[in-house]
Amino acid sequence: MLNDTIIHAERELYLTLLELAQQQPSAYEWLSKLPTWLNDIKDKANYAHAPAYQASVARLPTLAVDNVDLDSDILTINAPLSDSERKQTMALLKQLMPWRKGPFQIGGQVDSGQNEDQQAAPIFIDTEWHSDWKWQRVAPHLGNLKGRRVLDVGGGSGYHGWRMAGAGADTVIIIDPSCLFYHQFMAIRHFVGNADAHTHTHVHGTGRYRTHYIPVPLEALPEHSQLFDTVFSMGVLYHRQSPFEHLQQLKGQLVKGGELVLETLVIEGDANTVLVPHDRYAQMNNVYFLPSVAALIGWLEKAGFSDVRCVDVAVTSIEEQRKTEWMTYHSLADFLDPNDSSKTLEGYPAPMRATLIAKK
C-alpha cells in the first residue's frame, strides 16, 4: 500500500503559505509560483530519476512511531522495527543515495508487546557529512529561534532545517533545487509525521507542520519578500558566480532587523585577499570565490548588513566529511594532496569554513 506523504507535506506547505499571506501579502507571490515549483521537481523531462525517487518515498512502510527527537545530534525517530520493515525501509532509503547531510536514525524503540530479541536493529543513516558538528559550531551563536520564521537556503536533505524546528522555530522553509535532496527530505518527513507540528490546532484538528521544503534555488524566490526573521546560507556562497547578488537576495528575504547566518569557505589573509580558483577547487568545478574572513566582513557591510561578526572558523577534517555506506563516492580525503593534507589536489589551501552572523 502506498503512502501519501509527499501530497500531504505539499498540502501543509500550501496551507502554511496561505495563512502567512493573510498577514504578509508578499507571500501571495510565493503561492502563485508554488504549483509550478512543485510540478517541475517531479517532471521526468527535468529529472530522469524523479519517478523512481517518488516511488521509493511512497513505498516506505508506516511505523508505530513512539517519539521523534529533532533536537539531538542524530535526528532520531524512535519506533519498533520488525525485520521485514527494516529490510524494506533500508532498501528504499538506499535507493535515495547518496545521503550527504545528516545523520539520521530510524527505529531502536523496543515494543513492550514484543520480545526484545524480535526487534530489528535501528537504521543509522551515516551521511557523508557530520552536519551535527556544523550545527554544534553555529547554534551557540544564534539569536533565539523560538517563534521565529526561518529560511534555510541550500538546505540539502533538510537536516539543519529539522534542527531549526527542534530549536523552536515557528516555521522553517528549506529551499534547494536538488530533486534527490527533496525526496530525501520527504523520506524523513514520512517517519517524522506530525512530530514537528504546532501544538495549537486548526479547523482540521491538528497543528500545522512547522518544517517545509521548496525545491528551488534562492534566485527563484520573489525578491524582497521580507518574510523571515532568520535566514541561513550555509555552504552556498562559494558556488555563486556573483556573491554580491547572493548577499542581496538573502537580505531581501529578511525582515528589518532580521539575522543572517552565513557559512562559507574562506582562506587566510587580509581584507583584500580573495582566492578565485583557476579551474577546480578540491575537485569541485563550481567554486568561484573564497574570501578571507576580513574580506567577507567587508562584503557583508558593502551589501548593507550591520553588526557583522565572525563566530567560528574551522578547517574541515576527513572525519567530518567522509565516504560512508550511505555515500560511497569520493569524499574529502580523495580531494586533498596525499602528501600534504593542508593543500587540495590542485595546490590550494585545504577547505576552511567560517560562520558569520549579521543583521539587516
Side-chain angles (χ1 to χ4, degrees):
M1 183 172 167
L2 301 181
N3 64 64
D4 64 350
T5 295
I6 294 177
I7 293 169
H8 188 67
E10 292 178 347
R11 178 177 177 272
E12 287 286 309
L13 169 60
Y14 173 81
L15 292 172
T16 295
L17 288 175
L18 186 61
E19 288 179 6
L20 178 57
Q22 290 162 7
Q23 311 160 39
Q24 304 281 347
S26 60
Y28 279 115
E29 193 174 351
W30 289 56
L31 274 171
S32 69
K33 295 174 181 292
L34 189 61
T36 300
W37 289 341
L38 298 181
N39 286 333
D40 284 354
I41 204 68
K42 301 186 197 78
D43 188 345
K44 188 175 180 180
N46 297 329
Y47 304 98
H49 296 295
Y53 294 157
Q54 288 175 65
S56 295
V57 174
R59 288 162 54 206
L60 288 168
T62 299
L63 304 180
V65 174
D66 182 62
N67 65 74
V68 176
D69 191 349
L70 300 177
D71 200 27
S72 67
D73 289 341
I74 301 170
L75 196 148
T76 304
I77 295 145
N78 284 313
L81 201 61
S82 70
D83 191 52
S84 63
E85 287 170 334
R86 186 184 195 278
K87 286 177 179 172
Q88 180 185 3
T89 302
M90 179 81 95
L92 292 167
L93 293 175
K94 287 273 180 108
Q95 289 174 15
L96 298 174
M97 286 172 55
W99 287 80
R100 296 193 181 275
K101 303 294 173 69
F104 304 94
Q105 181 172 297
I106 300 160
Q109 185 74 19
V110 175
D111 188 338
S112 58
Q114 277 186 293
N115 186 311
E116 189 169 345
D117 293 338
Q118 296 174 301
Q119 292 290 307
I123 296 168
F124 179 56
I125 304 177
D126 188 13
T127 50
E128 177 188 17
W129 280 90
H130 257 295
S131 305
D132 49 324
W133 295 7
K134 182 182 292 190
W135 188 248
Q136 289 167 12
R137 293 193 295 265
V138 171
H141 307 286
L142 300 175
N144 194 338
L145 291 181
K146 280 190 167 54
R148 290 170 79 89
R149 201 154 47 237
V150 179
L151 179 67
D152 183 17
V153 177
S157 67
Y159 173 85
H160 288 123
W162 292 117
R163 296 300 303 270
M164 294 164 200
D170 183 79
T171 302
V172 179
I173 294 181
I174 303 157
I175 63 168
D176 196 302
S178 165
C179 181
L180 175 61
F181 296 162
Y182 182 67
H183 289 93
Q184 288 176 348
F185 171 84
M186 289 299 176
I188 300 301
R189 162 57 78 193
H190 172 74
F191 296 112
V192 169
N194 64 1
D196 69 321
H198 288 285
T199 51
H200 59 273
T201 59
H202 294 257
V203 289
H204 64 294
T206 61
R208 188 79 64 229
Y209 285 176
R210 290 186 293 128
T211 317
H212 306 275
Y213 201 118
I214 302 178
V216 295
L218 177 62
E219 55 268 25
L221 299 181
E223 292 183 2
H224 311 299
S225 296
Q226 300 184 69
L227 290 175
F228 298 95
D229 304 298
T230 306
V231 170
F232 288 81
S233 169
M234 299 194 291
V236 180
L237 185 68
Y238 51 87
H239 290 311
R240 310 316 301 158
Q241 292 184 24
S242 177
F244 279 94
E245 190 174 358
H246 182 73
L247 295 178
Q248 291 293 346
Q249 289 164 344
L250 295 169
K251 187 178 164 195
Q253 299 303 327
L254 278 167
V255 299
K256 188 174 169 46
E259 184 171 81
L260 172 68
V261 182
L262 180 71
E263 190 258 18
T264 190
L265 290 172
V266 295
I267 57 167
E268 300 280 0
D270 63 16
N272 297 310
T273 305
V274 181
L275 170 63
V276 181
H278 178 68
D279 186 15
R280 291 173 178 264
Y281 174 84
Q283 293 297 287
M284 294 182 285
N285 63 2
N286 59 345
V287 173
Y288 297 97
F289 296 93
L290 279 69
S292 66
V293 169
L296 187 54
I297 290 171
W299 289 6
L300 284 161
E301 290 173 344
K302 189 175 178 69
F305 289 94
S306 61
D307 299 337
V308 183
R309 57 200 172 99
C310 177
V311 297
D312 183 79
V313 179
V315 174
T316 306
S317 70
I318 57 174
E319 290 77 34
E320 183 172 358
Q321 183 191 8
R322 73 274 188 258
K323 187 185 302 186
T324 73
E325 177 190 353
W326 294 84
M327 203 301 292
T328 57
Y329 305 120
H330 287 173
S331 192
L332 180 60
D334 304 295
F335 307 147
L336 299 178
D337 184 330
N339 300 312
D340 183 356
S341 63
S342 71
K343 292 188 173 66
T344 68
L345 281 174
E346 302 86 2
Y348 297 120
M352 179 170 67
R353 293 170 178 267
T355 302
L356 282 78
I357 293 179
K359 289 279 191 290
K360 177 176 174 179

